Amino acid sequence: MYQWRKFEFFEEKLGGGKCKIPGEITGKIECASSGRGKLVIGCDDGTVSLLDRGLNFNFGFQAHTSSVLFLQMLKQRNFLASIGEDEQISPQQSGMCLKVFDLDKMQPEGSSTTSPECIGILRIFTNQFPQAKITSFLVLEEAPPILLIAIGLDNGCIYCIKGDIARERITRFKLQVDNASGDGNSSVTGLGFRVDGQALLLFTVTPNSVSLFSMQSQPPRRQILDQIGCNVNSVAMSDRSELIIGRPEAIYFYEVDGRGPCWAFEGEKKFLGWYRGYLLCVIADQRNGKNTFNIYDLKNRLIAHSLVVKEVSHMLCEWGNIILIMTDKSALCIGEKDMESKLDMLFKKNLYTVAINIVQTQQADASATAEVLRKYGDHLYGKQDYDEAMAQYISTIGHLEPSYVIQKFLDAQRIYNLTNYLENLHEKGFASKDHTTLLLNCYTKLKDVDKLNVFIKSEDGVGEHKFDVETAIRVCRAANYHEHAMYVAKKAGRHEWYLKILLEDLGRYDEALQYISSLEPSQAGVTVKEYGKILVEHKPAETINILMRLCTEDKELAKHRTSNGDYLSMLPSPVDFLNIFIHYPQSLMDFLEKYVDKVKDSPAQVEIHNTLLELYLSIDLNFPSISQANNGTDFSIKERTVSNGKLVAEGKNSSTEKGTLERREKGLHLLKSAWPSDLEHPLYDVDLAIILCEMNAFKEGLLYIYEKLKLFKEVIACYMQAHDHEGLIACCKRLGDSGKGGDPALWADLLKYFGELGEDCSKEVKEVLTYIERDDILPPIIVLQTLSRNPCLTLSVIKEYIARKLEQESKLIEEDRRAIEKYQEDTVAMRKEIQDLRTNARIFQLSKCTACTFTLDLPAVHFMCMHSFHQRCLGDNEKECPECAPEYRSVMEMKRSLERNSKEQDQFFQQVKSSKDGFSHLFQQWLLNFPDWCNLW
């Protein structure tokens, strides 16, 4: 053991050797204990003194009449247990007593002494437990207030007291360790409790044996662990509840199953202790008679502190310090240095391995351990021991910035060590994208394909890669390791990268299509959107087949679908893939035609029909938005003419014209089929369809849409623009019949067109006049004014029409004259009746009541309308005739209504405009506004 290194990891506190026990303690120190921030000293005069952290006297009290032999501070409660001599009650009874003091409860104020309350006193020796010399004392707090007290005697017995001392609810029992012998080798020199779960064990030591009692057994069962023992003060318990005994030849550790490790520290062990993982030992050197206090670090096999001391009487640990009390009442307080000081000491001596062991055994935080490893690595790096330095740097992963290590080995051109570090960085999950890039570059620079395979195909415990997938793919792809990049992409589910390599780097289009077909529909849709342009360019038919499967088939959805509409709404829409056909409109047309043929009620059918119309009606099969693309080729038509409604494009060959005509036929068919008669609105955008037809001079489609929208004026405008007179008249015959929902006003527009034509159109005008005359659409004067603008028309065109109209007017005039004469006669009769009422008396000759038809008697009421009533039949209403009142009220209500309407000018003009005979409506309003004339009439 003399080969162990010695260090000064501890230092003296409180002034070193100048520290003294306070002068207030006058007696001889017999015992001492510590705990709960207190140092307790018992003397031979029966006093107990308490010292503070600076070993200053706090207070003292008289615990026993005579000497205080043993003290112990309890841990869970602020109690002090003591054994001392008190006055004897009788000569047959011993004065040895056990007392328990509550240090939180002091004597009431006003008392002469300051002493804690004694909550329990027990006589140790009784008739059943005869008196003997006490050699050891130990208290265990089981579950407060229950205490288990063990008192070792010189006769080999242990007296045990268990219970609540304060309430005197206790039980006593005795344990026999060794049989009594006269040489004193049966004395119990040490005790130690150990709690293993529910098991309670008691170590006992005598000069000749080490035993273990199982306190759960009744009676407690003894197990002999060893046939050697030790003297008093050479027994301690470690923080792992191991029993430690010191003998001149060595120090022994004991577990519950027997002797454990042994440490050959020579010399008489006067005191033994344990402090924070350190073994404390006061050893007497027989050669020079001096006592040496050593602090051993058993895990690291070093002496943390060594000091020659005086004769030690007691050794305690409190406040993080070790306190040695000497027989001359001096004291030595020793404290451990902080970790930084200890490490600095070791670094100065280049003892890095010792520093690493210390920070690891003392459970320092990980960052402190990493700092020590870094310094050790720097030390080895300076010695050019790169392999061992890298081993230290690898241990710092997770705490040391990786760039610190990487920079060192980049400068030293140690690519193998750098590769090792980067591999461990990925293994522990601390690698970034840059680290992955660097590692893969190292592999490629070394051309180490085997390691590259291992790295690429390695996975962690949950099946995930230990590196950034995208970075690995990008680096492998840049280094032309396409297979490795594809493996990573496929394993990680990065389908876009896998396809990018297949299509852009390798040009394996069939394999890419097969891979897309194997994906889930949602993933396949995403990949087709991104790489569809390349696939359409090289494999248009196969790409269209994949799109058809995506947009029309999904086996999982088909199993659970409730309706066809819901099912289709869950599938991708063809509209989502339009962008991939931007340079290939023919392929787009084929795809949409197949989809429309297969799916009849798609949610996106409006958008699909719009796109198809744009393709069908385009002259050169290009989208208007992309007509500038197509490899810079100019497909514009230099000249367009319309002949008989058909488009003729110069510069186009016959096959192009044929394709254009076929597409236009499809477009017209789509316009009609997508607007069934039972739908109010078509399954395409009407405004867009009109614009497309006008842009591409598609007359047939334009006429169909206008007719469906009932825009008849626009329909005939198309014929007028084309100067198609025959078609124009035929159109008016079809659309101008009011009996079939047409608009007769079209004939007026047609007449106006011929009047402004400026050429001879006598035949057409005569035909138009026939329908105008039949439906009485225009007055003759308007007809004359309209046709007078055409200088090519003669009077013979309208001669017959004018003659017929004059004859009709003559008949109407004659009918009006007869009506006027009749109204005049009626007016004369009415005036005569009014005058008669005003000037002559009326004779009422009715003999019966109009209401009840009984004979009329008085009182009776007669009205000017020649109706008579009993007064009782009229009730309260005597001012109007019950028979004539309803008719009178309806007339008055009509008058009031007309008065209200006369104030609403907008409604008046609307009625005049919508009325077939506006003059009649004006005349009615005039009579309403001039009531005198109304009365006259």
Side-chain angles (χ1 to χ4, degrees):
M1 296 302 176
Y2 292 108
Q3 302 300 323
W4 282 18
R5 292 177 180 269
K6 290 185 179 181
F7 298 94
E8 295 299 324
F9 290 163
F10 287 77
E11 59 185 357
E12 297 181 13
K13 307 283 186 179
L14 302 179
K18 299 180 181 180
C19 184
K20 294 285 186 179
I21 297 298
E24 289 85 352
I25 303 176
T26 56
K28 178 184 177 181
I29 299 176
E30 293 287 344
C31 56
S33 181
S34 63
R36 300 181 70 87
K38 301 179 181 66
L39 190 65
V40 186
I41 296 176
C43 299
D44 60 354
D45 57 0
T47 60
V48 172
S49 301
L50 279 77
L51 307 183
D52 60 15
R53 190 185 186 96
L55 298 186
N56 299 313
F57 183 78
N58 194 350
F59 69 91
F61 63 93
Q62 192 72 34
H64 297 273
T65 304
S66 184
S67 177
V68 180
L69 301 179
F70 295 93
L71 288 172
Q72 182 176 339
M73 281 292 301
L74 304 187
K75 295 181 179 180
Q76 298 185 37
R77 293 177 293 173
N78 196 18
F79 284 5
L80 174 66
S82 67
I83 293 179
E85 296 182 6
D86 285 293
E87 296 180 354
Q88 290 182 315
I89 300 176
S90 63
Q92 293 78 16
Q93 290 185 341
S94 172
M96 196 67 64
C97 292
L98 168 67
K99 294 185 178 181
V100 179
F101 298 93
D102 186 350
L103 300 183
D104 290 332
K105 297 180 180 180
M106 306 302 290
Q107 292 289 348
E109 295 183 2
S111 58
S112 59
T113 59
T114 301
S115 62
E117 180 181 346
C118 180
I119 62 172
I121 302 176
L122 288 178
R123 295 286 177 177
I124 296 176
F125 302 114
T126 62
N127 293 333
Q128 291 80 12
F129 300 90
Q131 183 175 354
K133 182 180 178 181
I134 300 176
T135 55
S136 58
F137 170 64
L138 187 63
V139 180
L140 174 68
E141 294 178 275
E142 284 192 340
I146 304 302
L147 301 179
L148 176 58
I149 302 172
I151 302 173
L153 307 175
D154 64 349
N155 58 8
C157 291
I158 300 175
Y159 289 172
C160 295
I161 302 172
K162 183 177 182 179
D164 186 353
I165 305 296
R167 299 183 180 180
E168 298 185 358
R169 296 177 181 176
I170 60 173
T171 56
R172 296 173 183 253
F173 56 93
K174 180 169 64 174
L175 304 176
Q176 186 67 44
V177 182
D178 288 339
N179 294 324
S181 60
D183 58 1
N185 289 331
S186 61
S187 300
V188 178
T189 56
L191 299 169
F193 284 110
R194 175 171 177 155
V195 179
D196 281 343
Q198 298 296 325
L200 177 60
L201 305 173
L202 174 63
F203 288 103
T204 60
V205 182
T206 67
N208 294 325
S209 67
V210 176
S211 303
L212 179 68
F213 285 91
S214 178
M215 304 301 286
Q216 270 67 34
S217 303
Q218 293 299 329
R221 179 172 51 84
R222 179 190 178 203
Q223 176 186 355
I224 299 177
L225 301 180
D226 207 345
Q227 296 295 337
I228 61 172
C230 66
N231 296 323
V232 179
N233 295 329
S234 296
V235 179
M237 294 291 291
S238 73
D239 50 12
R240 297 174 55 191
S241 297
E242 298 170 304
L243 178 69
I244 309 172
I245 67 170
R247 292 182 59 82
E249 70 279 6
I251 293 177
Y252 301 91
F253 282 71
Y254 290 89
E255 286 282 354
V256 295
D257 53 355
R259 184 191 296 180
C262 171
W263 303 90
F265 301 133
E266 295 181 356
E268 181 185 357
K269 314 303 184 295
K270 289 193 172 183
F271 280 92
L272 209 63
W274 189 265
Y275 169 78
R276 293 183 179 179
Y278 293 103
L279 176 65
L280 311 180
C281 189
V282 178
I283 301 176
D285 191 343
Q286 301 297 332
R287 293 172 293 183
N288 53 23
K290 294 182 178 180
N291 296 326
T292 304
F293 175 59
N294 289 335
I295 302 176
Y296 297 99
D297 185 348
L298 301 180
K299 291 183 179 179
N300 297 313
R301 296 178 180 270
L302 56 85
I303 300 174
H305 190 69
S306 182
L307 179 68
V308 176
V309 296
K310 302 176 184 179
E311 190 69 26
V312 178
S313 62
H314 297 87
M315 183 168 62
L316 304 169
C317 296
E318 188 63 26
W319 307 300
N321 297 327
I322 303 167
I323 302 165
L324 300 179
I325 300 178
M326 312 301 175
T327 55
D328 61 355
K329 291 191 176 182
S330 63
L332 183 63
C333 185
I334 300 174
E336 186 177 7
K337 295 180 180 180
D338 59 84
M339 179 65 71
E340 185 177 357
S341 300
K342 292 189 289 184
L343 293 177
D344 288 342
M345 185 188 307
L346 295 171
F347 293 153
K348 290 177 181 179
K349 299 178 181 180
N350 292 329
L351 297 176
Y352 293 97
T353 55
V354 178
I356 293 171
N357 293 332
I358 287 177
V359 295
Q360 290 177 345
T361 55
Q362 294 193 2
Q363 298 179 348
D365 61 274
S367 59
T369 305
E371 180 64 17
V372 176
L373 292 169
R374 181 194 65 79
K375 290 185 177 181
Y376 187 30
D378 292 346
H379 173 71
L380 295 171
Y381 183 85
K383 295 170 62 177
Q384 297 185 351
D385 188 357
Y386 298 116
D387 294 338
E388 190 61 31
M390 180 54 71
Q392 306 307 318
Y393 288 134
I394 288 174
S395 300
T396 65
I397 291 176
H399 303 283
L400 180 62
E401 177 61 38
S403 60
Y404 178 85
V405 180
I406 293 171
Q407 186 63 41
K408 282 179 173 290
F409 287 85
L410 282 176
D411 294 342
Q413 296 297 310
R414 301 289 299 178
I415 190 170
Y416 290 98
N417 297 116
L418 178 60
T419 303
N420 184 24
Y421 179 78
L422 292 170
E423 287 174 347
N424 282 274
L425 202 62
H426 283 81
E427 185 71 25
K428 296 180 180 180
F430 291 99
S432 66
K433 296 180 181 180
D434 295 332
H435 300 147
T436 302
T437 303
L438 185 57
L439 178 58
L440 291 174
N441 286 329
C442 289
Y443 286 147
T444 55
K445 185 174 292 187
L446 295 171
K447 299 189 182 301
D448 194 342
V449 180
D450 294 334
K451 277 195 172 183
L452 181 60
N453 289 335
V454 172
F455 178 76
I456 289 297
K457 298 179 180 181
S458 64
E459 297 177 348
D460 58 15
V462 295
E464 296 181 356
H465 290 289
K466 302 173 183 177
F467 50 82
D468 183 74
V469 172
E470 187 171 341
T471 301
I473 295 171
R474 188 175 61 253
V475 175
C476 289
R477 186 185 179 200
N480 292 326
Y481 285 89
H482 295 114
E483 296 299 329
H484 293 82
M486 288 170 59
Y487 175 84
V488 175
K490 188 173 183 179
K491 191 72 176 178
R494 298 295 183 88
H495 311 298
E496 67 281 3
W497 278 102
Y498 188 88
L499 291 170
K500 183 187 286 290
I501 298 169
L502 276 177
L503 297 173
E504 297 180 2
D505 298 337
L506 304 177
R508 286 145 57 172
Y509 306 109
D510 291 328
E511 185 177 345
L513 288 168
Q514 185 178 0
Y515 181 77
I516 292 174
S517 300
S518 66
L519 297 177
E520 293 291 328
S522 58
Q523 298 172 341
V526 173
T527 54
V528 170
K529 289 178 185 178
E530 187 166 356
Y531 302 103
K533 294 179 183 178
I534 300 176
L535 294 172
V536 170
E537 179 182 1
H538 296 89
K539 298 289 181 179
E542 293 82 354
T543 306
I544 290 174
N545 291 335
I546 288 179
L547 289 175
M548 285 298 297
R549 287 198 298 273
L550 286 175
C551 297
T552 60
E553 299 176 8
D554 193 322
K555 296 179 180 179
E556 293 298 323
L557 287 176
K559 292 178 182 178
H560 306 286
R561 66 178 180 178
T562 56
S563 65
N564 193 49
D566 295 338
Y567 168 66
L568 290 173
S569 64
M570 298 178 187
L571 294 174
S573 171
V575 179
D576 299 336
F577 304 101
L578 294 182
N579 65 308
I580 69 175
F581 296 97
I582 190 167
H583 299 301
Y584 309 98
Q586 181 63 50
S587 298
L588 175 60
M589 188 169 66
D590 295 340
F591 167 53
L592 294 180
E593 285 177 347
K594 287 184 178 181
Y595 181 82
V596 171
D597 290 340
K598 188 171 184 178
V599 180
K600 301 301 181 183
D601 52 353
S602 171
Q605 57 187 341
V606 173
E607 292 82 356
I608 296 171
H609 290 159
N610 290 341
T611 306
L612 279 174
L613 284 174
E614 191 171 358
L615 292 167
Y616 287 152
L617 303 184
S618 176
I619 298 174
D620 45 15
L621 194 57
N622 280 321
F623 293 112
S625 58
I626 60 173
S627 59
Q628 292 80 10
N630 300 292
N631 301 322
T633 305
D634 185 9
F635 292 104
S636 62
I637 297 174
K638 297 182 178 179
E639 184 177 351
R640 298 177 180 176
T641 60
V642 179
S643 176
N644 296 327
K646 296 182 179 179
L647 179 72
V648 178
E650 292 183 0
K652 294 290 184 177
N653 55 34
S654 59
S655 60
T656 304
E657 292 178 358
K658 182 178 179 181
T660 302
L661 292 175
E662 289 178 354
R663 284 187 281 107
R664 297 215 162 188
E665 290 177 0
K666 292 181 180 179
L668 183 59
H669 175 73
L670 179 59
L671 287 173
K672 294 179 179 180
S673 62
W675 197 340
S677 58
D678 57 337
L679 293 181
E680 182 180 356
H681 300 288
L683 299 177
Y684 50 81
D685 189 336
V686 177
D687 296 334
L688 176 62
I690 293 174
I691 293 173
L692 291 173
C693 291
E694 289 183 348
M695 287 177 59
N696 296 281
F698 185 41
K699 176 183 172 183
E700 290 85 349
L702 202 59
L703 292 174
Y704 175 77
I705 296 174
Y706 284 155
E707 188 170 339
K708 289 290 289 184
L709 294 174
K710 297 187 182 302
L711 300 176
F712 301 141
K713 294 183 181 296
E714 282 74 5
V715 173
I716 65 173
C718 292
Y719 286 101
M720 292 176 182
Q721 186 178 0
H723 296 278
D724 185 3
H725 298 171
E726 182 179 351
L728 184 59
I729 294 176
C731 176
C732 285
K733 290 179 180 179
R734 187 176 70 255
L735 304 178
D737 190 352
S738 60
K740 297 180 180 180
D743 184 7
L746 295 178
W747 292 108
D749 295 335
L750 187 55
L751 185 67
K752 182 179 180 182
Y753 165 74
F754 286 126
E756 297 174 353
L757 187 58
E759 62 183 46
D760 188 9
C761 50
S762 302
K763 180 181 177 182
E764 290 82 357
V765 170
K766 288 181 179 180
E767 189 172 0
V768 172
L769 289 176
T770 302
Y771 290 95
I772 290 177
E773 181 182 3
R774 184 191 68 180
D775 296 332
D776 195 15
I777 297 172
L778 291 174
I781 186 63
I782 301 298
V783 173
L784 289 173
Q785 290 175 353
T786 302
L787 295 178
S788 65
R789 299 190 186 119
N790 191 341
C792 298
L793 294 178
T794 61
L795 186 61
S796 59
V797 177
I798 60 171
K799 180 179 178 181
E800 297 179 0
Y801 167 76
I802 293 297
R804 288 192 299 271
K805 293 301 294 181
L806 289 175
E807 184 178 357
Q808 291 177 4
E809 292 296 332
S810 299
K811 292 179 180 180
L812 290 176
I813 292 172
E814 183 62 29
E815 290 176 0
D816 291 341
R817 185 179 290 109
R818 287 194 295 269
I820 290 172
E821 291 177 355
K822 181 178 182 302
Y823 289 146
Q824 288 177 346
E825 293 175 357
D826 292 342
T827 302
V828 171
M830 290 175 63
R831 287 177 175 175
K832 183 178 180 181
E833 185 178 357
I834 293 171
Q835 182 65 27
D836 186 44
L837 288 174
R838 289 178 177 176
T839 58
N840 299 326
R842 301 286 288 184
I843 300 173
F844 300 98
Q845 297 179 352
L846 287 178
S847 60
K848 292 184 179 181
C849 177
T850 304
C852 62
T853 68
F854 288 107
T855 302
L856 191 64
D857 55 7
L858 296 177
V861 178
H862 303 279
F863 292 96
M864 300 298 290
C865 59
M866 303 307 293
H867 291 136
S868 301
F869 299 89
H870 293 115
Q871 188 178 17
R872 61 179 179 274
C873 293
L874 291 177
D876 296 334
N877 189 8
E878 298 180 357
K879 295 184 178 181
E880 62 179 0
C881 174
E883 291 291 322
C884 301
E887 183 179 357
Y888 175 75
R889 289 196 197 100
S890 65
V891 172
M892 295 304 296
E893 181 63 30
M894 184 182 300
K895 182 180 180 181
R896 284 193 293 269
S897 176
L898 292 173
E899 290 175 349
R900 285 195 302 270
N901 293 337
S902 65
K903 298 177 182 178
E904 298 177 359
Q905 298 180 3
D906 294 338
Q907 183 178 359
F908 166 74
F909 288 113
Q910 183 63 31
Q911 290 174 351
V912 171
K913 185 176 180 180
S914 60
S915 176
K916 187 174 181 180
D917 188 356
F919 290 104
S920 299
H921 185 75
L922 288 172
F923 183 67
Q924 182 181 3
Q925 293 297 319
W926 177 72
L927 291 176
L928 180 64
N929 290 320
F930 296 95
D932 294 337
W933 285 90
C934 182
N935 293 332
L936 180 61
W937 277 91

